[in-house]
């Protein structure tokens, strides 16, 4: 394959004086949880990072590692790196990366979780409890303990050097310990580590200064700065610049910008955030510094990264989740194969949501992420003829993986396009990234010669008489229509009809069912104007961010302003719990807040009594109520579509059922893709 230079800036080396980055692509820090599995966990971590090194990134930042027991972000001692005895485990990682590509750098991220640590022994500058992540109040560090904590950072950096890392990144953002020293609201100290901004920033500056002193000149030291906290009472722009300059003077090699605290209520990485929305802030800071700067957040394709560099917003582009989604991202970009990139859709469903639920991290679109030692798509020695029925996420994942292994795959789809439910998801404002997943599968189908038969409703007989070694049924689901009196009324639509715009939707609407799809439908029908995820100015208005004037935290004193459709919407569920509980940990709050700001009425504990020309009759806590609506949209989950499987069950030997067709209760793209890939790997 000939190499194109379409991304000339992205592939320009960067001279750091004592060393050089081969290009501008950085794999940003991502928690994996693999280290929790002891020695085997480190073997798996080594394989995970080595695959990204082989994929062409210039530098990798590891997941956060705590310098002491109080700072564990995941509550597991395995995350702590404070003793020479742990060096051999880390050596496994650094050696694997060097073996994969001697030119790839790897830096250890030092993360002290501070008041976010999910442990009763957590510490902070002041005893102020975090509103998120942990239920425990922190203990105030004594002046001696502050000194000891700085020593712990320095010790960790020294151990990192011993273990073969090329450098360290100190995370000074996100609300973790270092950043909590910076703000008055979390630092009420009266000793030399609190009071004026000069004193509050000393902790960050001293960590960098003393690390540099200990590790010498030829070691990368990155400081991750909170360039915007997205909170009232965050840092002023002058404070951000003052800190960045002081960090440069203290000996940092690179400054990396970050744009949130975990307790902030502005989304900064979810799919509803426009691509590269925050790069302009990095660009503004870059003008004040002479060392290179890194930008990040929602940069998920090479053209976006190239544009960020072309606009002078950064020297290096960090992509964490995109490297989970596709370890070969950099090589594909370099070789002009960007249409083969499996794009991160910023759903957070299998990465950050898993991390915060203490589950092993992986990726919705790439189940091999963090499973490199056990899930492999090896070339088959015995190619089979395989029929696949249904080109939704499960059928697609199976087909392209099996074909990539060398099997002959015929994929039947009754619709005229592939994608199943992804074709609904892509139409929801803020979920446009699903177009990329469909583009990826289209390209993989071409590349691996899957025989795609669109518009073909395959029959039982075709499958019985065909020369198939294996038959895979991935026929998906159909919307569930609950047995409510009057459900056949003309004012009733299922969610499919609503999303595809197949029937008109009135001004007053009740939505039955408040799962992921109920929320999506509410978002769609209350939406007006341009999707915020496609326009950074609309996004800034919706969430009250001022990129130009940069008030404190980027948001101080600004009221979010949404363009709201002229429609009154009731979102209903039978459970008595608060609506949105089942949505993603890291994204659900933003969905809910957005709908609340649009005035959507959310009602729990509903019993549906009937639908007629007066509207929807319900009881709430046994009180009868009529919602005088002109449209009722049913979003009450799904039922499996598996007739063909049941018909064939006795007559075909190697028959498999996957995805929503197998378990509709959990139609979930993560499970569907994972199941499709694992089955394909096993045949
Ligand atoms: P869901 O999450 O299972 O929600 C179905 C809703 O319908 C629930 O609120 C349920 O709650 C209600 N319901 C179920 N049976 C009912 C009945 N017989 N009568 C009335 N109400 C009934 O299903 P979904 O919203 O269709 O989503 C399907 C899958 O898509 C999910 O598993 C999710 O993984 C995925 N998805 C995720 C997102 C996301 O943002 N992460 C977005 C879209 C889809 P009550 O019984 O309490 O009323
Ligand atoms: Fe990206 Fe979603 Fe994969 Fe996370 S799970 S890396 S957000 S595609």
């Amino acid at each position: 394959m000939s190499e194109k230079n379409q991304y000339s800036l992205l592939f320009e080396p960067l001279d750091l004086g004592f060393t050089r980055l081969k290009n501008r692509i950085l794999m940003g820090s991502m928690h994996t949880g693999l280290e929790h599995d002891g020695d085997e966990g480190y073997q798996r971590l080594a394989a995970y990072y080595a695959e990204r090194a082989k994929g062409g990134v210039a530098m990798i930042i590891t997941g956060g590692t705590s310098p002491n027991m109080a700072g564990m972000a995941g509550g597991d001692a395995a995350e702590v790196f404070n003793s020479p005895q742990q060096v051999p485990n880390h050596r496994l990682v650094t050696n694997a990366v060097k073996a994969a590509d001697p030119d790839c750098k790897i830096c250890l991220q030092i993360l002290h979780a501070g008041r976010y640590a999910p442990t009763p022994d957590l510490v902070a500058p002041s005893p102020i409890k975090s509103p998120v992540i942990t239920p425990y109040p922190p203990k105030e560090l004594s002046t001696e303990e502050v000194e000891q904590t700085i020593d712990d950072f320095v010790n960790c950096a020294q151990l990192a050097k011993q273990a073969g890392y090329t450098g360290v990144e100190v995370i000074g953002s996100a609300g973790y310990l270092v950043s909590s020293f910076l703000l008055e609201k979390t630092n009420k100290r009266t000793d030399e580590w609190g009071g004026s901004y000069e004193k509050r920033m000393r902790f960050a500056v001293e960590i960098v200064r003393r690390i540099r002193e200990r590790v010498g000149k030829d070691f990368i030291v990155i400081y991750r700065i909170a360039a915007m906290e997205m909170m009232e009472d965050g840092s002023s722009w002058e404070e951000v610049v003052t800190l960045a300059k002081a960090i440069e003077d203290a000996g940092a090699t690179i400054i990396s910008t970050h744009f949130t605290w975990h307790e902030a209520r502005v989304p900064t990485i979810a799919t509803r955030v426009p691509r590269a929305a925050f790069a302009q802030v990095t660009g503004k800071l870059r003008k004040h510094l002479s060392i290179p700067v890194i930008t990040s957040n929602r940069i998920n394709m090479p053209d976006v990264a190239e544009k960020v560099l072309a606009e002078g917003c950064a020297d290096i582009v960090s992509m964490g989740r995109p490297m989970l989604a596709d370890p070969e991202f950099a090589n594909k970009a370099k070789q002009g194969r960007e249409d083969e990139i499996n794009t991160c859709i910023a759903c957070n469903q299998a990465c950050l949501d898993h991390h915060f639920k203490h589950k092993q991290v992986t990726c919705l679109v790439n189940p091999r992420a963090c499973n490199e030692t056990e899930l492999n798509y090896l070339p088959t020695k015995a190619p089979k003829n395989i029929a696949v029925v249904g080109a939704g996420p499960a059928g697609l994942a199976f087909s392209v993986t099996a074909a990539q292994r060398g099997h002959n795959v015929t994929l039947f789809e009754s619709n005229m396009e592939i994608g199943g439910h992804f074709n609904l998801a892509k139409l929801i404002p803020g979920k446009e990234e699903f177009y990329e997943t469909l583009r990826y599968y289209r390209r993989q189908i071409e590349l691996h010669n899957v025989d795609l038969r669109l518009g073909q409703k395959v029959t039982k007989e075709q499958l019985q008489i065909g020369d198939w070694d294996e038959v895979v049924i991935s026929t998906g689901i159909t919307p569930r229509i609950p047995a409510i009196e009057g459900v056949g009324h003309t004012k009733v639509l299922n969610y499919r009809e609503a999303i595809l715009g197949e029937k008109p939707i009135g001004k007053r609407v009740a939505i039955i069912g408040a799962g992921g799809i109920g929320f999506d439908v509410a978002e769609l029908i209350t939406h007006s104007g341009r999707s915020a995820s496609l326009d950074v100015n609309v996004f800034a208005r919706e969430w009250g961010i001022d990129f130009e004037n940069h008030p404190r935290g980027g948001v101080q004193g600004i009221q979010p302003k949404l363009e709201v459709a002229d429609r009154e919407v009731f979102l209903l569920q039978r459970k008595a719990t608060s609506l949105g509980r089942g949505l993603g940990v890291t994204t659900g709050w933003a969905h809910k807040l957005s709908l609340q700001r649009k005035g959507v009425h959310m009602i729990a504990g509903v019993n549906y009594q009937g639908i007629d020309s007066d509207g929807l009759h319900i009881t709430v806590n046994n009180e009868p109520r009529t919602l005088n609506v002109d449209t009722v949209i049913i979003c009450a989950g799904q039922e499996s579509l598996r007739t063909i499987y049941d018909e064939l069950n006795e007559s075909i030997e190697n028959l498999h059922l996957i995805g929503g067709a197998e378990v509709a209760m959990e139609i979930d793209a993560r499970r569907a893709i994972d199941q499709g890939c694992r089955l394909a790997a096993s045949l």
Side-chain angles (χ1 to χ4, degrees):
M1 175 94 40
S2 69
E3 295 197 357
K4 293 184 191 171
N5 286 316
Q6 195 182 347
Y7 308 113
S8 55
L9 299 174
L10 203 52
F11 289 98
E12 193 179 293
L14 178 66
D15 188 0
L16 296 176
F18 58 92
T19 190
R20 185 196 78 128
L21 300 185
K22 67 175 177 180
N23 62 47
R24 308 304 179 99
I25 303 178
L26 170 77
M27 175 180 175
S29 176
M30 287 294 301
H31 308 285
T32 63
L34 289 176
E35 64 276 21
H36 301 174
D37 288 347
D39 291 350
E40 197 197 328
Y42 277 91
Q43 302 276 8
R44 293 177 64 187
L45 259 183
Y48 159 76
Y49 286 126
E51 194 154 314
R52 274 74 198 165
K54 218 164 131 197
V57 294
M59 183 156 70
I60 294 169
I61 311 288
T62 68
T65 305
S66 178
N68 61 28
M69 293 298 285
M72 299 177 298
D76 191 304
E79 297 156 33
V80 180
F81 191 12
N82 61 354
S83 141
Q85 283 163 348
Q86 294 152 322
V87 166
N89 267 341
H90 286 272
R91 273 252 170 233
L92 287 176
V93 171
T94 55
N95 285 343
V97 167
K98 283 190 187 102
D101 178 3
D103 213 9
C104 178
K105 318 282 183 249
I106 178 161
C107 299
L108 179 88
Q109 187 185 71
I110 310 181
L111 184 159
H112 188 305
R115 69 199 268 273
Y116 286 160
T119 144
D121 301 320
L122 72 176
V123 297
S126 300
I128 299 163
K129 191 178 147 338
S130 154
V132 295
I133 301 180
T134 182
Y136 308 110
K139 174 183 157 302
E140 178 171 321
L141 287 164
S142 67
T143 306
E144 294 72 35
E145 286 167 337
V146 172
E147 288 287 348
Q148 179 57 52
T149 306
I150 297 175
D151 285 350
D152 294 340
F153 272 84
V154 175
N155 176 49
C156 187
Q158 172 70 29
L159 290 170
K161 192 172 179 188
Q162 249 173 277
Y165 289 101
T166 343
V168 289
E169 174 177 272
V170 173
I171 180 153
S173 55
Y176 295 126
L177 183 71
V178 178
S179 52
S180 66
F181 269 84
L182 296 170
L183 300 190
E184 258 180 335
K185 70 188 214 175
T186 46
N187 181 352
K188 308 279 183 201
R189 302 180 71 92
T190 52
D191 61 5
E192 62 267 41
W193 304 103
S196 65
Y197 188 71
E198 294 263 286
K199 287 182 167 179
R200 298 201 305 274
M201 75 176 197
R202 270 193 69 221
F203 185 66
V205 176
E206 280 304 296
I207 287 173
V208 172
R209 195 181 64 74
R210 294 188 206 178
I211 286 179
R212 173 58 73 210
E213 221 169 65
R214 177 76 70 85
V215 296
K217 280 193 298 191
D218 300 347
F219 192 67
I220 296 174
V221 178
I222 305 169
Y223 180 81
R224 192 138 206 227
I225 194 168
M228 270 186 164
E229 291 94 349
M230 297 293 155
M231 295 186 308
E232 300 267 324
D233 302 323
S235 307
S236 70
W237 183 243
E238 292 68 33
E239 288 169 350
V240 173
V241 174
T242 305
L243 173 63
K245 286 178 161 174
I247 294 286
E248 175 173 344
D249 292 345
T253 321
I254 301 171
I255 286 188
S256 179
T257 45
H258 203 187
F259 310 97
T260 193
W261 273 32
H262 286 300
E263 63 206 71
R265 281 300 166 251
V266 175
T268 54
I269 54 169
T271 191
R272 59 172 58 234
V273 176
R275 290 173 168 189
F278 299 95
Q280 55 184 308
V281 183
T282 315
K284 218 165 125 183
L285 186 60
R286 184 171 180 248
K287 296 194 179 101
H288 296 274
L289 301 171
S290 52
I291 54 175
V293 292
I294 302 172
T295 196
S296 65
N297 288 44
R298 290 287 286 117
I299 300 171
N300 63 346
M301 285 299 277
D303 59 326
V304 187
E306 181 76 9
K307 185 162 178 275
V308 161
L309 296 173
E311 288 172 354
C313 292
D315 302 279
I316 302 166
V317 180
S318 169
M319 290 174 269
R321 295 172 300 168
M323 298 301 158
L324 253 75
D326 196 332
E328 274 196 275
F329 181 104
N331 285 345
K332 287 178 181 176
K334 193 169 180 189
Q335 293 160 3
R337 297 190 288 129
E338 54 285 89
D339 58 350
E340 293 176 33
I341 290 175
N342 196 1
T343 307
C344 166
I345 56 173
C347 64
N348 287 357
Q349 272 175 256
C351 52
L352 291 172
D353 285 349
H354 276 204
H355 167 69
F356 284 109
K357 285 197 262 173
H358 302 292
K359 282 168 69 177
Q360 190 215 292
V361 165
T362 180
C363 169
L364 181 141
V365 299
N366 173 24
R368 275 199 78 238
C370 301
N371 292 313
E372 288 77 8
T373 53
E374 54 109 2
L375 179 58
N376 281 298
Y377 311 141
L378 304 175
T380 179
K381 292 192 179 103
K384 293 179 173 181
N385 286 331
I386 306 179
V388 183
V389 187
L396 287 169
F398 174 85
S399 299
V400 302
T401 311
Q404 173 195 333
R405 293 190 55 221
H407 292 302
N408 304 309
V409 179
T410 305
L411 173 57
F412 297 97
E413 168 57 51
S414 59
N415 290 311
M416 289 311 294
E417 56 184 341
I418 61 163
H421 252 58
F422 278 6
N423 289 308
L424 299 184
K426 74 187 186 191
L427 299 175
I428 306 298
K431 291 201 165 177
E432 296 83 2
E433 292 289 356
F434 279 94
Y435 281 101
E436 295 285 6
T437 309
L438 294 169
R439 181 264 309 144
Y440 166 77
Y441 278 118
R442 265 185 228 112
R443 184 70 183 119
Q444 295 298 313
I445 284 171
E446 274 170 22
L447 275 176
H448 302 300
N449 298 316
V450 173
D451 181 3
L452 175 63
R453 311 267 183 93
L454 289 174
Q456 280 206 25
K457 198 163 168 48
V458 76
T459 63
K460 174 178 132 188
E461 288 71 30
Q462 269 172 297
L463 294 171
Q464 279 167 329
I465 58 168
D467 181 21
W468 308 115
D469 299 310
E470 311 275 344
V471 173
V472 177
I473 306 296
S474 48
T475 36
I477 48 83
T478 185
R480 176 188 290 124
I481 303 301
I484 300 171
E485 200 180 319
V487 79
H489 196 280
T490 50
K491 66 171 64 176
V492 180
L493 277 66
N494 68 41
Y495 65 80
R496 224 185 109 76
E497 294 165 328
I499 296 173
L500 293 174
E502 289 176 351
K503 292 186 184 168
I505 299 173
K507 291 278 185 205
R508 286 175 55 83
V509 181
I511 299 175
I512 292 183
I517 292 179
F519 268 77
D520 277 355
V521 168
E523 185 79 43
L524 176 72
I525 65 173
T526 51
H527 176 82
S528 176
R530 194 161 157 70
S531 175
S533 49
L534 300 178
D535 186 326
V536 75
N537 295 320
V538 177
F539 170 74
R541 263 202 312 277
E542 267 199 26
W543 292 94
I545 307 165
D546 186 344
F547 285 115
E548 253 174 43
N549 302 308
H550 204 122
R552 280 197 176 276
V555 296
Q556 185 120 325
I558 306 165
Q559 281 309 312
K561 280 194 200 123
L562 279 86
E563 305 222 5
V564 184
D566 176 20
R567 187 170 271 150
E568 186 168 26
V569 174
F570 298 85
L571 183 57
L572 313 170
Q573 74 173 23
R574 297 177 299 181
K575 288 185 283 292
T577 50
S578 154
L579 271 76
R581 276 262 181 100
L583 302 178
V585 189
T586 58
T587 51
W589 61 267
H591 281 303
K592 189 166 177 181
L593 189 55
S594 163
L595 293 186
Q596 282 168 334
R597 286 185 182 153
K598 290 177 178 177
V600 171
H601 309 282
M602 298 191 187
I603 310 178
V606 172
N607 260 309
Y608 305 107
Q609 304 298 321
I611 302 163
D612 59 23
S613 48
D614 289 341
L616 173 63
H617 303 281
I618 57 174
T619 60
V620 184
N621 300 327
N622 294 326
E623 291 285 320
R625 237 180 115 173
T626 296
L627 302 177
N628 174 19
V629 293
D630 32 34
T631 304
V632 176
I633 304 176
I634 309 282
C635 303
Q638 296 79 20
E639 281 161 9
S640 294
L641 267 180
R642 48 178 283 169
T643 321
I644 199 156
Y645 175 83
D646 293 335
E647 286 172 357
L648 287 168
N649 207 357
E650 300 291 306
S651 58
I652 290 191
E653 215 171 286
N654 296 326
L655 183 65
H656 310 270
L657 183 66
I658 59 171
E662 189 205 22
V663 190
M665 201 176 74
E666 269 189 70
I667 63 135
D668 163 348
R670 190 204 63 76
R671 178 179 163 277
I673 293 175
D674 182 83
Q675 199 183 15
C677 291
R678 283 178 191 275
L679 177 63
S682 72
L683 295 180

